Amino acid sequence: MSFQDLVFYFFATVLVISALGVITSRNPVYSALLLVLSFVTCAGLWLLLEAEFLAITLVLVYVGAVMVLFLFVVMMLDINLDRLREGFWKWFPFGALLALILVTQMAMVLMGGEFGLNEMPRPPAQAADYSNTKALGLLIYTEYVYAFELAAVILLVAMVAAIALTLRHRADKRSPNPAKQVAVNREDRIRIVPMASEKKD
Amino acid sequence: MVYIQQLFEQFFGTEWGPMLFVLTKDLTLIVAIVVPLLLGVAYLTFAERKIIAYMQIRVGPNRVTFFGIPWLRGWGQPIADAVKAMMKEIVVPSGANKFLFILAPILTIAPALAAWAVVPFSPDVVLADINAGLLYILAMTSMGIYGVIIAGWASNSKYAFLGAMRSAAQVVSYELAMGFALVCVLMMSASLNLGDIVNGQQGGSLLNWYFIPLFPMFLVYFISGVAETNRAPFDVAEGESEIVAGFHVDYSGMAFTVFFLAEYANMILVATLTSLLFLGGWLPPIDVAPFNMIPGFIWLLLKIAFMLFFFLWFRATFPRYRYDQIMRLGWKVFIPLTLVWIFLLGAIMQLPLSIRNMYPLNLWF
């Protein structure tokens, strides 16, 4: 067993345990935090696969931004476990189907020899000065530029839709205008009145 | 160095020897970075108290000294503070989630220290010379927020929770502006490696540094950095006058000190990054005889100290921003500004070579 294997098994163990914890933990905050842990260990695994750009982006986007907002929401929720369990049997067939698909996929990976995994050779290890980031950037902006732009537009539409759905114009609302407040001058607000000092009796 | 590596290989075999050698070497280098950093943090608190004191026409700490030497009065203050903090009890509130309560300060300090792995101090002095260095730093600094959120939630206190919520919203907003400002630097240098970014600013004098063509981005980055570290005037997460001390109300002793250390370590990190990305890192301001004889590390330290002074100056000068003003500045001022600048920069980079070779564009492009 080499050093790299040791690192792999460490990350893999932590990933499996934390991913199990996400679905078994009763406290939703713990679930969210364990999900963060599994993202970080997953990034570690990707680093071992020489995908450093994707690994760091995973940490930057999912851990640094998405999960922060998730945690933000989860911490403010008043979770009632009984209400959460209500729809369990109604949704059970759907969940079971998903689980079945997952198990099949896992089986296909684990028994890769039977499904012709050997025909796909292992990619050769890259030199130390090979830039993953540059390679990805070249692909995204040349070969896959339409797919990339399409994804960007879909995200933009989703963003605009989310804002449009929650934006309400209320007539009775009063809101300050910070731009105006910041631009205020001293002369507009105060008046200095010259006064002779009082005489001491 | 080769001799030590051979020693390791003889001792642990050819397979494990090199690995363990790298591990030992890296651990030694990590200690060599973290110990001066923590000392720097300790004396930054001293500098802060002294500088703000002089700005407010006070004296500041002037009692604790080493071995009774009179002209060192005050210089022992950070050491005395550290010893005091270590002696104090860590009180865990009865309703708090004990595990997360202890975990929170650790989660704050760990990314603050981990980010230093890719920071170059001189042309060849860097712990991990990776291609995606800047991205790594962004990822690490964005993880620092977890400590604050978890601390706020685990304390089981409304004030702490409010502080955590404010901090989370603020940091996530300013990260965007910060990221866009960095995109401009990347466009100029065409590299994510911090060492290459500094080398891209080489060229004789301070006119070549990126703070001139990217001046608005320089301001946006630095102000966002102040907001990310929750320093005044963006310290609504602490907000003594409204929510007592924000997310660390319930922390005491060493647990509180670790938050404190992380905040100052982050300040030094932002100052270092500003110096590296915009102020030419270890490059001397003018590449002539007396200046380029000073080692680059000294220049970097001077630039870091210069940027750190602004942090302290801001704190002594500005009143705290109101929450909606913070959000407005981040979303409605900084992000449009950075987008316009990215567009402008892209346009200039597409100009024909003959125009880009004209003065002053040839200094940077």
Side-chain angles (χ1 to χ4, degrees), chain B residues 13-78:
Chain B
T14 46
E15 196 181 345
W16 284 88
M19 285 297 175
L20 286 173
F21 170 73
V22 170
L23 205 67
T24 324
K25 196 184 90 181
D26 283 351
L27 278 178
T28 323
L29 289 177
I30 288 169
V31 171
I33 292 175
V34 167
V35 170
L37 176 66
L38 290 183
L39 266 179
V41 165
Y43 276 91
L44 179 57
T45 63
F46 176 61
E48 173 167 37
R49 293 173 68 179
K50 269 296 196 195
I51 289 170
I52 293 183
Y54 285 132
M55 283 178 180
Q56 296 166 346
I57 325 179
R58 295 182 286 120
V59 185
N62 67 339
R63 285 288 180 270
V64 191
T65 171
F66 294 107
F67 312 113
I69 303 171
W71 50 272
L72 276 180
R73 274 191 191 149
W75 285 84
Q77 190 67 43

Side-chain angles (χ1 to χ4, degrees), chain A residues 1-4 6 27 29-30 33 36 40 52-53 56-57 59-60 62-69 71-72 74-76 128-134 176-182, chain B residues 15-16 19-20 23 97 99-100 103 107 130-133 135-140 142-143 145-146 149-150 152-154 161 164-166 168-169 172 175 190 192 321-322 324-325 328:
Chain A
M1 198 162 78
S2 72
F3 190 75
Q4 218 168 15
L6 202 75
N27 189 335
V29 173
Y30 276 159
L33 287 175
V36 172
V40 173
E52 79 265 5
F53 180 79
I56 297 175
T57 316
V59 173
L60 180 61
Y62 283 89
V63 177
V66 174
M67 287 312 292
V68 171
L69 297 177
L71 212 60
F72 198 103
V74 163
M75 280 177 175
M76 287 199 281
D129 60 340
Y130 173 78
S131 175
N132 203 298
T133 320
K134 203 171 264 177
N177 182 354
K180 240 184 200 166
Q181 291 177 331
V182 170
Chain B
E15 196 181 345
W16 284 88
M19 285 297 175
L20 286 173
L23 205 67
N97 184 325
F99 174 67
L100 291 182
L103 187 72
L107 277 182
I130 63 173
N131 274 329
L135 210 60
Y136 170 84
I137 284 193
L138 268 181
M140 282 300 130
S142 70
M143 274 170 75
I145 179 68
Y146 279 101
I149 300 185
I150 294 172
W153 186 77
F161 192 60
M165 291 291 120
R166 286 178 174 196
V172 170
E175 219 153 67
L192 278 164
Y321 261 114
R322 214 173 53 204
D324 61 326
Q325 290 172 344
R328 172 183 162 271

Side-chain angles (χ1 to χ4, degrees), chain B residues 12-344:
Chain B
F12 298 104
T14 46
E15 196 181 345
W16 284 88
M19 285 297 175
L20 286 173
F21 170 73
V22 170
L23 205 67
T24 324
K25 196 184 90 181
D26 283 351
L27 278 178
T28 323
L29 289 177
I30 288 169
V31 171
I33 292 175
V34 167
V35 170
L37 176 66
L38 290 183
L39 266 179
V41 165
Y43 276 91
L44 179 57
T45 63
F46 176 61
E48 173 167 37
R49 293 173 68 179
K50 269 296 196 195
I51 289 170
I52 293 183
Y54 285 132
M55 283 178 180
Q56 296 166 346
I57 325 179
R58 295 182 286 120
V59 185
N62 67 339
R63 285 288 180 270
V64 191
T65 171
F66 294 107
F67 312 113
I69 303 171
W71 50 272
L72 276 180
R73 274 191 191 149
W75 285 84
Q77 190 67 43
I79 314 291
D81 286 342
V83 172
K84 186 191 84 171
M86 275 186 258
M87 295 296 158
K88 281 184 133 180
E89 183 190 358
I90 298 177
V91 183
V92 181
S94 58
N97 184 325
K98 195 173 178 196
F99 174 67
L100 291 182
F101 189 79
I102 300 297
L103 187 72
I106 301 170
L107 277 182
T108 316
I109 190 108
L113 296 181
W116 285 87
V118 296
V119 172
F121 297 100
S122 289
D124 297 313
V125 186
V126 52
L127 176 60
D129 191 16
I130 63 173
N131 274 329
L134 197 56
L135 210 60
Y136 170 84
I137 284 193
L138 268 181
M140 282 300 130
T141 48
S142 70
M143 274 170 75
I145 179 68
Y146 279 101
V148 175
I149 300 185
I150 294 172
W153 186 77
S155 305
N156 195 21
S157 147
K158 287 196 174 64
Y159 290 126
F161 192 60
L162 282 174
M165 291 291 120
R166 286 178 174 196
S167 171
Q170 178 184 325
V171 170
V172 170
S173 318
Y174 276 84
E175 219 153 67
L176 285 172
M178 205 176 200
F180 278 134
L182 292 184
V183 166
C184 290
V185 177
L186 299 186
M187 286 168 76
M188 297 281 293
S189 66
S191 172
L192 278 164
N193 184 307
L194 287 167
D196 288 349
I197 292 175
V198 175
N199 286 333
Q201 303 176 52
Q202 221 150 23
S205 71
L206 78 169
L207 290 176
N208 293 82
W209 298 352
Y210 288 158
F211 81 98
I212 294 176
L214 299 178
F215 191 69
M217 296 302 100
F218 170 61
L219 294 183
V220 166
Y221 178 79
F222 190 63
I223 296 173
S224 303
V226 177
E228 288 253 305
T229 46
N230 287 326
R231 290 282 305 180
F234 297 97
D235 57 345
V236 286
E238 285 180 36
E240 304 90 341
S241 51
E242 308 140 32
I243 50 172
V244 198
F247 61 94
H248 55 53
V249 180
D250 285 312
Y251 281 85
S252 60
M254 210 56 208
F256 166 75
T257 314
V258 170
F259 276 121
F260 204 69
L261 289 180
E263 182 183 322
Y264 282 78
N266 274 327
M267 272 165 69
I268 302 182
L269 183 71
V270 169
T272 310
L273 284 177
T274 317
S275 327
L276 287 172
L277 300 174
F278 296 100
L279 298 179
W282 54 77
L283 302 172
I286 302 168
D287 204 2
V288 290
F291 293 107
N292 58 14
M293 277 153 74
I294 301 171
F297 184 63
I298 304 288
W299 281 120
L300 184 62
L301 276 188
L302 283 176
K303 286 166 188 171
I304 295 172
F306 178 70
M307 292 320 293
L308 278 175
F309 183 73
F310 279 99
F311 274 97
L312 312 183
W313 198 358
F314 286 166
R315 185 171 164 195
T317 309
F318 295 121
R320 183 177 300 131
Y321 261 114
R322 214 173 53 204
Y323 188 74
D324 61 326
Q325 290 172 344
I326 288 185
M327 286 297 146
R328 172 183 162 271
L329 185 70
W331 289 99
K332 291 188 177 172
V333 180
F334 281 177
I335 291 181
L337 187 67
T338 48
L339 288 176
V340 166
W341 213 259
I342 289 176
F343 183 77
L344 248 172

